[in-house]
Amino acid sequence: MSKETPCIAVCFIDPKTKLCLGCGRTLPEIARWGKMDSAERLDTMALLPARMAEAGLEPSSTYAKKTSATI
């Protein structure tokens, strides 16, 4: 995966927060991702950990560690 994507291939939108449980992006952000320039992607990625925490969701890095530990 590119360093300019937060995607961890756990694509499921939380119905309450409307955020992807894997990366924290919204559907509109996911849809536009390929059209965003590098700066916009990096700016969005910088917001994701706080966005996930505010929504009460696990950060993707924690989820990825749990997933790899169970495989």
Side-chain angles (χ1 to χ4, degrees):
M1 300 229 174
S2 167
K3 291 181 182 181
E4 288 189 0
T5 182
C7 182
I8 60 167
V10 177
C11 304
F12 186 81
I13 302 299
D14 178 68
K16 286 184 180 180
T17 65
K18 307 295 188 216
L19 299 176
C20 174
L21 294 175
C23 68
R25 293 180 292 171
T26 64
L27 278 175
E29 287 170 339
I30 293 167
R32 287 184 339 116
W33 201 256
K35 295 175 185 163
M36 290 181 180
D37 63 28
S38 180
E40 189 175 4
R41 288 180 188 167
L42 294 173
D43 288 345
T44 301
M45 288 173 59
L47 301 173
L48 298 179
R51 180 188 287 178
M52 300 267 300
E54 185 176 309
L57 302 173
E58 277 189 46
S60 59
S61 60
T62 303
Y63 184 87
K65 288 177 188 173
K66 284 183 179 181
T67 303
S68 63
T70 60
I71 295 177

